Amino acid sequence: MPASQPRSRARDRNNVLNRAEFLSLNQPLKGNQESRSSGRKQSGQAGAAGAQNSNPKERRQSQQLPEEDCMQLNPSFKGIAFNSLLAIDICMSKRLGVCANRASSWGGARSMINLLGITGHGIPWIAGTLICLVKSSTLAGQEVLMNLLLALLLDIMIVAGLQKLAKRKGPYDINPGLLDYLTMDTYAFPAGHASRAAMLSKFFLNHLVLAIPLRILLVLWALCVGFSRVMIGRHHITDVLSGFVFGYLQFRLVELMWMSSNTCQMLISIW
């Protein structure tokens, strides 16, 4: 043992790395280690503080994201069917909008289609009904005309209310006309011209004595007015079909609210 100790000391003295100028190579830098360890500690503390200070609402949203993604990737059958029908409706309505603008395939017939649409507008019908009511001298005629005026006013109010609720726009970006603004017919669903045409045709078929050719022409007129709105790009196909349904329902409502001759005479005398 005493002999081995001097030998080891001699080896240490002879070792080049034990000299003063090489000591820094053998020993790690304590300052760097301390700075690195302190930096890691500070970053760990900052991460922990950030996790603690994070908003609970954000944590809940991050936990809900996988579930929402799964719901979007696995929609219900009703959602798939509804979206598919909606896409078909939009595609077919755009294809049938042959008079949507001057550059369309039937752009030259746009003026004629607009004229056909005016025949189903509410303002001309209300004005014509008032003129006929003033000139009418029979009680039966006044009764029919007063109930027709009631039907037209109900149609404008019901369609305007439904359009405000749905707020569906047409297949093309077409601004409504002046007459449309007067009757508050500014949205697409349901089609006001279609509901009015269906209601008027059903009303005349029930309360006027018409020959068979005239009855057929009346039905064809209602169909042409409805689908002319698709041709000029103002409404979808489903808007027109729903307008026909609402027009029939409005006719049934007017039949339930039918004003008698005495009531009509009282209203006319007040007016």
Side-chain angles (χ1 to χ4, degrees), residues 18 61 86 93 103 157 216:
N18 289 330
Q61 289 178 354
L86 188 63
S93 300
M157 291 187 292
I216 295 174

Side-chain angles (χ1 to χ4, degrees), residues 160-174:
L162 291 173
Q163 287 187 357
K164 290 294 183 182
L165 289 176
K167 291 185 178 181
R168 187 187 188 188
K169 295 184 179 180
Y172 291 91
D173 190 12
I174 298 175

